[in-house]
């Protein structure tokens, strides 16, 4: 597998994961989960948009690299 293909694949997978996180964060009520999971919910609520943007940049870079080369 070429490096550019790997970048594009990881970018796409990251966008899918971030999309699932958006849905999960809307569905899950923090009061209904154990205390150790609430920390993860707070982390993903705070950092999901950054993760999504990073995945989009990584995927775009991989696709641009594929087109250029």
């Amino acid at each position: 597998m070429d490096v550019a293909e790997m970048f594009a694949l990881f970018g796409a997978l990251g966008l899918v994961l971030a999309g699932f996180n958006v849905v999960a964060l809307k569905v899950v009520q923090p009061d209904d989960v154990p205390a150790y999971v609430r920390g993860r919910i707070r982390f993903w609520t705070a950092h999901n948009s950054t993760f999504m943007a990073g995945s989009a940049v990584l995927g775009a870079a991989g696709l641009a690299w594929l087109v250029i080369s």
Side-chain angles (χ1 to χ4, degrees):
M1 177 178 281
D2 189 32
V3 175
E5 292 173 1
M6 186 178 60
F7 278 16
L9 178 66
F10 282 146
L13 289 175
L15 285 174
V16 170
L17 177 65
F20 284 150
N21 281 336
V22 168
V23 172
L25 291 172
K26 298 286 183 192
V27 172
V28 173
Q29 299 297 324
D31 298 333
D32 297 338
V33 297
Y36 66 90
V37 178
R38 290 183 193 140
R40 293 179 184 155
I41 290 172
R42 283 192 301 270
F43 174 83
W44 281 110
T45 301
H47 296 97
N48 194 44
S49 59
T50 305
F51 180 71
M52 187 177 280
S55 296
V57 167
L58 184 66
L63 289 175
W65 194 354
L66 281 171
V67 170
I68 291 171
S69 61

